[in-house]
PDB file of all heavy atoms in Angstrom:
ATOM      1  N   ARG A 430      91.463 103.994 121.265  1.00 87.00           N
ATOM      2  CA  ARG A 430      91.089 102.812 120.589  1.00 87.00           C
ATOM      3  C   ARG A 430      92.072 102.511 119.462  1.00 87.00           C
ATOM      4  O   ARG A 430      92.336 103.391 118.698  1.00 87.00           O
ATOM      5  CB  ARG A 430      89.655 102.809 120.209  1.00 87.00           C
ATOM      6  CG  ARG A 430      88.769 102.981 121.356  1.00 87.00           C
ATOM      7  CD  ARG A 430      87.366 103.142 120.927  1.00 87.00           C
ATOM      8  NE  ARG A 430      86.709 101.973 120.424  1.00 87.00           N
ATOM      9  CZ  ARG A 430      85.607 101.978 119.905  1.00 87.00           C
ATOM     10  NH1 ARG A 430      84.717 102.968 119.817  1.00 87.00           N
ATOM     11  NH2 ARG A 430      85.060 100.821 119.492  1.00 87.00           N
ATOM     12  N   ILE A 484      90.283  98.319 125.921  1.00 85.00           N
ATOM     13  CA  ILE A 484      88.903  98.502 125.956  1.00 85.00           C
ATOM     14  C   ILE A 484      88.051  97.175 126.256  1.00 85.00           C
ATOM     15  O   ILE A 484      86.954  97.001 125.640  1.00 85.00           O
ATOM     16  CB  ILE A 484      88.376  99.218 124.684  1.00 85.00           C
ATOM     17  CG1 ILE A 484      88.864  98.404 123.387  1.00 85.00           C
ATOM     18  CG2 ILE A 484      88.914 100.628 124.641  1.00 85.00           C
ATOM     19  CD1 ILE A 484      87.943  98.785 122.227  1.00 85.00           C
ATOM     20  N   ASP A 558      78.100  96.341 122.754  1.00 96.00           N
ATOM     21  CA  ASP A 558      79.099  96.184 123.957  1.00 96.00           C
ATOM     22  C   ASP A 558      78.720  97.128 125.050  1.00 96.00           C
ATOM     23  O   ASP A 558      79.380  97.329 125.978  1.00 96.00           O
ATOM     24  CB  ASP A 558      80.594  96.551 123.465  1.00 96.00           C
ATOM     25  CG  ASP A 558      80.749  97.719 122.585  1.00 96.00           C
ATOM     26  OD1 ASP A 558      79.991  98.607 122.813  1.00 96.00           O
ATOM     27  OD2 ASP A 558      81.819  97.776 121.893  1.00 96.00           O
ATOM     28  N   CYS A 559      77.517  97.514 124.937  1.00 97.00           N
ATOM     29  CA  CYS A 559      76.775  98.340 126.169  1.00 97.00           C
ATOM     30  C   CYS A 559      75.817  97.503 126.852  1.00 97.00           C
ATOM     31  O   CYS A 559      75.264  98.003 127.829  1.00 97.00           O
ATOM     32  CB  CYS A 559      76.265  99.676 125.668  1.00 97.00           C
ATOM     33  SG  CYS A 559      77.461 100.812 125.058  1.00 97.00           S
ATOM     34  N   GLN A 574      83.309  98.909 130.071  1.00 92.00           N
ATOM     35  CA  GLN A 574      83.943  98.105 129.105  1.00 92.00           C
ATOM     36  C   GLN A 574      85.011  97.276 129.837  1.00 92.00           C
ATOM     37  O   GLN A 574      85.447  96.115 129.236  1.00 92.00           O
ATOM     38  CB  GLN A 574      84.599  98.797 127.935  1.00 92.00           C
ATOM     39  CG  GLN A 574      83.645  99.762 127.216  1.00 92.00           C
ATOM     40  CD  GLN A 574      82.614  99.060 126.391  1.00 92.00           C
ATOM     41  OE1 GLN A 574      82.911  98.020 125.884  1.00 92.00           O
ATOM     42  NE2 GLN A 574      81.352  99.408 126.487  1.00 92.00           N
ATOM     43  N   GLU A 715      76.012  99.542 130.620  1.00 98.00           N
ATOM     44  CA  GLU A 715      76.194 100.863 129.849  1.00 98.00           C
ATOM     45  C   GLU A 715      75.002 101.277 129.092  1.00 98.00           C
ATOM     46  O   GLU A 715      74.666 102.463 128.921  1.00 98.00           O
ATOM     47  CB  GLU A 715      77.399 100.871 129.084  1.00 98.00           C
ATOM     48  CG  GLU A 715      77.603 102.183 128.393  1.00 98.00           C
ATOM     49  CD  GLU A 715      79.120 102.300 127.841  1.00 98.00           C
ATOM     50  OE1 GLU A 715      80.012 101.496 127.949  1.00 98.00           O
ATOM     51  OE2 GLU A 715      79.418 103.450 127.244  1.00 98.00           O
ATOM     52  N   TYR A 719      72.940 105.708 129.055  1.00 98.00           N
ATOM     53  CA  TYR A 719      72.851 106.865 128.066  1.00 98.00           C
ATOM     54  C   TYR A 719      71.407 107.378 128.164  1.00 98.00           C
ATOM     55  O   TYR A 719      70.424 106.629 128.429  1.00 98.00           O
ATOM     56  CB  TYR A 719      72.978 106.202 126.675  1.00 98.00           C
ATOM     57  CG  TYR A 719      74.365 106.012 126.309  1.00 98.00           C
ATOM     58  CD1 TYR A 719      74.946 104.726 125.944  1.00 98.00           C
ATOM     59  CD2 TYR A 719      75.263 107.055 126.157  1.00 98.00           C
ATOM     60  CE1 TYR A 719      76.157 104.466 125.663  1.00 98.00           C
ATOM     61  CE2 TYR A 719      76.621 106.961 125.811  1.00 98.00           C
ATOM     62  CZ  TYR A 719      77.019 105.609 125.543  1.00 98.00           C
ATOM     63  OH  TYR A 719      78.297 105.366 125.148  1.00 98.00           O
ATOM     64  N   LYS A 724      72.817 106.845 121.366  1.00 98.00           N
ATOM     65  CA  LYS A 724      73.790 105.825 121.368  1.00 98.00           C
ATOM     66  C   LYS A 724      73.035 104.514 121.538  1.00 98.00           C
ATOM     67  O   LYS A 724      71.936 104.290 121.021  1.00 98.00           O
ATOM     68  CB  LYS A 724      74.915 105.885 122.484  1.00 98.00           C
ATOM     69  CG  LYS A 724      75.884 107.109 122.077  1.00 98.00           C
ATOM     70  CD  LYS A 724      76.951 106.696 121.117  1.00 98.00           C
ATOM     71  CE  LYS A 724      77.920 105.844 121.770  1.00 98.00           C
ATOM     72  NZ  LYS A 724      79.005 105.500 120.796  1.00 98.00           N
ATOM     73  N   GLU A 725      73.629 103.555 122.340  1.00 98.00           N
ATOM     74  CA  GLU A 725      72.944 102.232 122.359  1.00 98.00           C
ATOM     75  C   GLU A 725      71.605 102.251 123.113  1.00 98.00           C
ATOM     76  O   GLU A 725      70.933 101.264 123.142  1.00 98.00           O
ATOM     77  CB  GLU A 725      73.900 101.240 122.904  1.00 98.00           C
ATOM     78  CG  GLU A 725      75.035 100.774 122.066  1.00 98.00           C
ATOM     79  CD  GLU A 725      76.299 101.574 122.009  1.00 98.00           C
ATOM     80  OE1 GLU A 725      76.283 102.745 122.488  1.00 98.00           O
ATOM     81  OE2 GLU A 725      77.313 101.121 121.537  1.00 98.00           O
ATOM     82  N   PHE A 730      71.195 103.419 115.763  1.00 98.00           N
ATOM     83  CA  PHE A 730      72.621 103.040 115.587  1.00 98.00           C
ATOM     84  C   PHE A 730      72.830 102.467 114.178  1.00 98.00           C
ATOM     85  O   PHE A 730      72.568 101.378 113.884  1.00 98.00           O
ATOM     86  CB  PHE A 730      72.860 101.973 116.728  1.00 98.00           C
ATOM     87  CG  PHE A 730      74.227 102.067 117.189  1.00 98.00           C
ATOM     88  CD1 PHE A 730      74.486 102.739 118.388  1.00 98.00           C
ATOM     89  CD2 PHE A 730      75.300 101.388 116.619  1.00 98.00           C
ATOM     90  CE1 PHE A 730      75.762 102.843 118.883  1.00 98.00           C
ATOM     91  CE2 PHE A 730      76.713 101.463 117.131  1.00 98.00           C
ATOM     92  CZ  PHE A 730      76.767 102.234 118.218  1.00 98.00           C
ATOM     93  N   GLN A 777      77.766 106.900 113.051  1.00 98.00           N
ATOM     94  CA  GLN A 777      77.511 105.644 113.898  1.00 98.00           C
ATOM     95  C   GLN A 777      76.011 105.864 114.395  1.00 98.00           C
ATOM     96  O   GLN A 777      75.397 104.832 114.435  1.00 98.00           O
ATOM     97  CB  GLN A 777      78.469 105.625 114.935  1.00 98.00           C
ATOM     98  CG  GLN A 777      78.254 104.440 115.937  1.00 98.00           C
ATOM     99  CD  GLN A 777      78.719 104.756 117.435  1.00 98.00           C
ATOM    100  OE1 GLN A 777      78.244 105.631 118.102  1.00 98.00           O
ATOM    101  NE2 GLN A 777      79.673 103.943 117.750  1.00 98.00           N
TER     102      GLN A 777
HETATM  103  C1  BGC B 150      80.216 103.043 123.225  1.00 70.94           C
HETATM  104  C2  BGC B 150      80.288 101.908 122.165  1.00 70.94           C
HETATM  105  C3  BGC B 150      81.651 101.635 121.970  1.00 70.94           C
HETATM  106  C4  BGC B 150      82.472 101.280 123.206  1.00 70.94           C
HETATM  107  C5  BGC B 150      83.931 101.069 122.921  1.00 70.94           C
HETATM  108  C6  BGC B 150      81.107 102.717 124.590  1.00 70.94           C
HETATM  109  O1  BGC B 150      81.054 103.803 125.386  1.00 70.94           O
HETATM  110  O2  BGC B 150      78.882 103.342 123.601  1.00 70.94           O
HETATM  111  O3  BGC B 150      79.498 102.348 121.059  1.00 70.94           O
HETATM  112  O4  BGC B 150      81.783 100.595 121.110  1.00 70.94           O
HETATM  113  O5  BGC B 150      82.356 102.404 124.220  1.00 70.94           O
HETATM  114  O6  BGC B 150      84.724 100.940 123.865  1.00 70.94           O
END
Side-chain angles (χ1 to χ4, degrees):
R430 299 175 73 183
I484 55 159
D558 47 27
C559 295
Q574 304 293 323
E715 187 166 355
Y719 284 114
K724 292 278 284 177
E725 281 88 346
F730 213 92
Q777 181 208 57

